[in-house]
Amino acid sequence: MASILPASNRSMRPDKNTYERKRSVYVKNPYLEGMDEDILYHLDLGTKTHNLPAMFGDVKFVCVGGSPNRMKAFAQFMHKELRLEGDGEDIEDICAGTDRYCMFKTGPVLSVSHGMGIPSISIMLHELIKLLHHARCCDVTIIRIGTSGGIGIAPGSIVITDTAVDSFFKPRFEQVILDNVVTRSTELDKELANDLFNCSREIPNAPTLIGHTMCTYDFYEGQGRLDGALCSFSREKKLDYLKRAYRAGVRNIEMESTVFAAMCGLCGLRGVQHQLNKDLGKEIVDFKSPHIRKLYLQNNAKLDSTKATHCCGLCDTS
Ligand SMILES: O=P(O)(O)O[C@H]1O[C@H](CO)[C@@H](O)[C@H]1O
Ligand SMILES: O=c1cc[nH]c(=O)[nH]1
């Protein structure tokens, strides 16, 4: 039978002095150090085949999102915003040797796709975190830029996640490890969330709010959709569920936030989520960090309209 183990974010962190001096990206795996070679299978990178510190040592800022094309467009956008040499149009996919994920680097910014759902982003994050660790990166900020379905908010709003919650509105991620269930915390970096929120105030036509994001295992039944291949609940049940979610502080739904928050928290990454609830939206956020004075983030405008807005039926609820 599965056992429930307590959340242990804090105890897994390095001591206070290490933390305050320099925030390293750390791994919590005693076996890694003794390994002759670490192969990052799904990124097509490795410690023997690639000089990871030379390739990635300057990375300060990582943006992740589901779709490869969006992440390429984001990298091109950042290339222009950072006024780097060339037009950035020919930016190459570092992970071209695999068709699992795409990765683009422009200056200190890494833009990586993660596919859909917890298992997919979790594999990418394991390998990305090891990559940043092997490259000896420190003070890294990571932002998931994605789409989501809004609950009780105007279509087109941007939600910045302070806490990811599961389908029971609980701030937890339950990782099955062998036959144990280990519960991990899903708080995101509040300071970073506030920074992003403050930046958004200066940007017209980008209504932005901070709220909880609910992470589901499924796009259809898990999010109360009535148009999946299977649907065993009534419209009333769906609305009741979404209303309860709203009352619990949930403002949007997507499919990666709990594991994203849990893994960032455990491995020393300042993480936040930033999602657009709109079909044909364009968002620009002026983002500040100690390392990059002013970054402009853009979640690519060409979002697929079929997945961007989930009409929850609560949008008129105040
Ligand atoms: O917009 P992205 O980042 O792909 O993420 C959202 O879109 C997908 C569903 O269409 C899920 O992965 C959800 O989390
Ligand atoms: O998971 C998702 C992503 C986009 N839109 C939704 O409604 N749900």
Side-chain angles (χ1 to χ4, degrees):
M1 204 173 91
S3 63
I4 309 288
L5 303 179
S8 55
N9 273 17
R10 299 294 170 251
S11 62
M12 288 174 80
R13 290 194 159 163
D15 66 69
K16 195 165 174 279
N17 290 338
T18 315
Y19 186 83
E20 281 175 355
R21 261 201 313 272
K22 196 167 71 161
R23 189 168 183 154
S24 305
V25 178
Y26 42 90
V27 291
K28 285 283 172 187
N29 176 358
Y31 293 100
L32 271 185
E33 216 173 298
M35 276 167 38
D36 184 39
E37 179 178 15
D38 187 13
I39 301 174
L40 310 176
Y41 295 101
H42 303 86
L43 301 182
D44 194 37
L45 294 168
T47 50
K48 271 201 168 162
T49 47
H50 299 80
N51 183 343
L52 299 178
M55 289 173 74
F56 299 102
D58 63 338
V59 169
K60 293 290 177 206
F61 190 84
V62 182
C63 270
V64 302
S67 126
N69 281 336
R70 187 194 316 152
M71 299 324 290
K72 182 174 185 180
F74 174 76
Q76 288 168 334
F77 171 82
M78 287 307 304
H79 188 96
K80 290 194 179 85
E81 289 300 318
L82 295 176
R83 298 195 170 82
L84 299 174
E85 218 173 287
D87 60 8
E89 290 305 309
D90 54 353
I91 193 160
E92 279 183 20
D93 176 11
I94 298 168
C95 302
T98 166
D99 56 3
R100 297 291 186 183
Y101 305 107
C102 287
M103 180 186 288
F104 305 92
K105 183 173 183 302
T106 182
V109 180
L110 207 56
S111 180
V112 194
S113 71
H114 57 61
M116 286 193 279
I118 287 172
S120 183
I121 193 175
S122 150
I123 296 166
M124 190 283 282
L125 286 175
H126 272 277
E127 298 184 14
L128 172 70
I129 290 166
K130 290 197 296 173
L131 181 160
L132 297 170
H133 175 73
H134 292 312
R136 300 193 277 279
C137 296
C138 58
D139 299 320
V140 177
T141 292
I142 181 165
I143 301 184
R144 188 179 111 69
I145 48 173
T147 61
S148 62
I151 300 187
I153 59 174
S157 311
I158 292 164
V159 176
I160 297 172
T161 310
D162 55 0
T163 304
V165 300
D166 65 12
S167 299
F168 304 91
F169 323 135
K170 297 271 192 261
R172 65 184 176 194
F173 173 61
E174 295 186 323
Q175 173 73 55
V176 178
I177 301 178
L178 306 182
D179 55 354
N180 287 316
V181 177
V182 176
T183 305
R184 291 176 170 162
S185 161
T186 53
E187 299 289 333
L188 283 152
D189 192 301
K190 304 279 183 297
E191 197 187 328
L192 186 55
N194 281 325
D195 281 355
L196 267 178
F197 180 71
N198 288 333
C199 291
S200 75
R201 284 185 219 227
E202 295 154 25
I203 296 162
N205 309 320
T208 304
L209 57 121
I210 295 182
H212 298 349
T213 293
M214 181 161 75
C215 180
T216 65
Y217 284 91
D218 168 55
F219 186 78
Y220 289 97
E221 292 174 284
Q223 298 187 13
R225 282 196 163 74
L226 303 175
D227 58 348
L230 301 171
C231 184
S232 55
F233 47 84
S234 63
R235 184 181 299 276
E236 290 68 37
K237 281 259 179 219
K238 161 197 164 155
L239 284 175
D240 172 65
Y241 178 67
L242 294 178
K243 277 181 182 160
R244 283 187 285 120
Y246 185 87
R247 285 198 294 271
V250 174
R251 294 295 176 269
N252 66 338
I253 316 179
E254 48 75 271
M255 297 174 63
E256 291 85 17
S257 55
T258 49
V259 72
F260 173 81
M263 291 185 74
C264 291
L266 288 168
C267 297
L269 291 163
R270 288 182 84 209
V272 76
Q273 285 223 154
H274 184 264
Q275 298 117 134
L276 180 65
N277 299 285
K278 191 173 181 181
D279 45 25
L280 286 171
K282 184 176 175 188
E283 61 179 297
I284 300 174
V285 173
D286 175 359
F287 176 83
K288 298 178 183 73
S289 88
H291 304 282
I292 306 168
R293 226 183 136 66
K294 208 171 184 189
L295 283 185
Y296 290 92
L297 304 185
Q298 184 189 41
N299 194 351
N300 186 276
K302 294 172 207 139
L303 296 173
D304 175 353
S305 60
T306 57
K307 67 180 226 171
T309 299
H310 168 27
C311 182
C312 63
L314 289 181
C315 295
D316 295 326
T317 313
S318 55

